[in-house]
Amino acid sequence: SQQGEEDPQALSIQEGENATMNCSYKTSINNLQWYRQNSGRGLVHLILIRSNEREKHSGRLRVTLDTSKKSSSLLITASRAADTASYFCATVGTGANNLFFGTGTRLTVIP
Amino acid sequence: GAGVSQSPSNKVTEKGKDVELRCDPISGHTALYWYRQSLGQGLEFLIYFQGNSAPDKSGLPSDRFSAERTGGSVSTLTIQRTQQEDSAVYLCASSKTSGRAVDTQYFGPGTRLTVL
């Protein structure tokens, strides 16, 4: 299965702290994407990192990709209560047509 | 349109009935995807449409599930003879993808299906 796995499954931090979520996958990829989901409904795309990239930034988000270890991490700096949500990594396999989603990390930021 | 829309937002049905879920993708997006998310789980890929090509149906869990996309725009996911295990949130997404590499997907708000 190409499905990614996030670690940890749940994370609870204080507002202002940094949150780090990890994702591991099993096959070669074209790109890896991180999504956020509030209240079990629609997902919002956060960031896409291609297989030839190692790090990418977007605002308070930093994503790293290590293709040799088949892993990625999402760092949210200076967390806010509004960051409380589930975060999913999704991989696009080489030659694949669709995303394979991980099981998600539930982040709770305590005000 | 401003984003991907789905209807209905909630659907409650009795076991054995057929249901149709609708997705309106973002105008101009050639790729359309259907996913299913059971309570507390990740997303499960169901089906993928790309332009006028034959759809990738590899994720459909059984022959009770089917989908079509008319005119390269609106899509309908049909579940026949619904079962309780079909209860989930059904999410639709579209993207600009015109090649093999999957680009950013834009998701609709989903349809929460409950089969009693």
Side-chain angles (χ1 to χ4, degrees):
Chain A
S1 168
Q2 292 189 33
Q3 187 175 35
E5 293 183 3
E6 280 93 337
D7 169 55
Q9 292 185 351
L11 178 62
S12 183
I13 60 173
Q14 295 289 329
E15 198 166 33
E17 295 180 338
N18 296 340
T20 300
M21 289 161 269
N22 302 296
C23 168
S24 61
Y25 57 92
K26 297 180 180 177
T27 65
S28 62
I29 63 170
N30 179 285
N31 67 66
L32 184 145
Q33 305 178 28
W34 285 90
Y35 286 81
R36 165 193 167 125
Q37 184 179 42
N38 291 344
S39 304
R41 299 306 287 262
L43 280 76
V44 175
H45 177 260
L46 295 176
I47 197 164
L48 180 155
I49 186 166
R50 302 195 185 278
S51 60
N52 61 352
E53 298 176 312
R54 291 297 167 258
E55 188 170 313
K56 214 165 180 182
H57 296 254
S58 177
R60 293 185 295 113
L61 305 180
R62 182 173 80 99
V63 169
T64 62
L65 178 64
D66 187 336
T67 53
S68 66
K69 295 181 179 178
K70 292 186 169 57
S71 67
S72 173
S73 67
L74 170 67
L75 168 68
I76 304 174
T77 61
S79 64
R80 305 167 182 169
D83 295 329
T84 295
S86 292
Y87 292 82
F88 293 88
C89 72
T91 57
V92 179
T94 305
N97 293 326
N98 54 277
L99 291 168
F100 289 89
F101 282 83
T103 51
T105 293
R106 176 68 190 173
L107 173 66
T108 301
V109 181
I110 303 167
Chain B
V4 178
S5 61
Q6 292 185 246
S7 61
S9 57
N10 287 283
K11 176 71 176 178
V12 180
T13 190
E14 293 180 347
K15 178 181 174 181
K17 295 285 181 67
D18 297 352
V19 295
E20 286 189 351
L21 313 179
R22 177 186 168 107
C23 172
D24 285 84
I26 293 173
S27 177
H29 280 192
T30 59
L32 186 147
Y33 306 80
W34 283 97
Y35 296 89
R36 175 170 74 173
Q37 185 177 31
S38 300
L39 185 64
Q41 302 296 312
L43 274 72
E44 175 189 4
F45 165 74
L46 297 178
I47 189 168
Y48 158 70
F49 295 90
Q50 172 58 55
N52 296 321
S53 302
D56 177 353
K57 305 178 181 180
S58 60
L60 294 179
S62 78
D63 59 8
R64 296 186 296 105
F65 288 72
S66 64
E68 62 179 22
R69 188 179 185 191
T70 55
S73 181
V74 172
S75 177
T76 303
L77 176 69
T78 301
I79 309 173
Q80 296 178 310
R81 305 181 302 281
T82 53
Q83 304 293 313
Q84 288 183 333
E85 60 263 29
D86 298 336
S87 296
V89 175
Y90 289 82
L91 292 157
C92 174
S94 70
S95 75
K96 298 178 184 177
T97 305
S98 58
R100 294 288 288 178
V102 177
D103 212 330
T104 300
Q105 295 190 7
Y106 297 84
F107 282 80
T111 293
R112 184 179 300 279
L113 174 65
T114 302
V115 182
L116 301 177

